[in-house]
Amino acid sequence: MDPADVDRHVTDIWNTVLDVGADEADATFGELGGTALAALRMAAQIQDRLGVAVELAALLRDGTLDALLGQVRARALSEM
């Protein structure tokens, strides 16, 4: 899968699950009101769309969108 597609899907999932816009891309998962349930929803959607498992602990430790993108890109590329 193309890295740009990965970024687009993950960003869409992040924005939808957390109900945020692009102007909040630098905020952390926790700052945006992320909960354990939101992390589970996000991980399930990423798994469904991209076939990539993500570390929930990384999100819950106040991860950023950039950190999540890096994690998903790395895993998507390693599984190709």
Side-chain angles (χ1 to χ4, degrees):
M1 175 173 282
D2 185 310
D5 289 337
V6 170
D7 289 1
R8 184 175 44 79
H9 284 293
V10 173
T11 300
D12 179 56
I13 291 166
W14 175 276
N15 290 341
T16 301
V17 170
L18 295 174
D19 194 26
V20 297
D23 59 323
E24 297 172 292
D26 293 333
T28 66
F29 182 79
E31 290 170 342
L32 295 171
T35 62
L37 182 57
L40 286 170
R41 286 181 55 216
M42 198 173 292
Q45 289 184 30
I46 291 170
Q47 178 72 44
D48 287 346
R49 282 197 206 178
L50 304 171
V52 174
V54 298
E55 263 184 59
L56 293 179
L59 279 175
L60 296 171
R61 284 190 312 262
D62 291 329
T64 62
L65 175 57
D66 282 341
L68 179 61
L69 288 169
Q71 180 187 157
V72 174
R73 269 189 231 116
R75 290 180 182 210
L77 292 174
S78 72
E79 294 174 9
M80 293 179 94

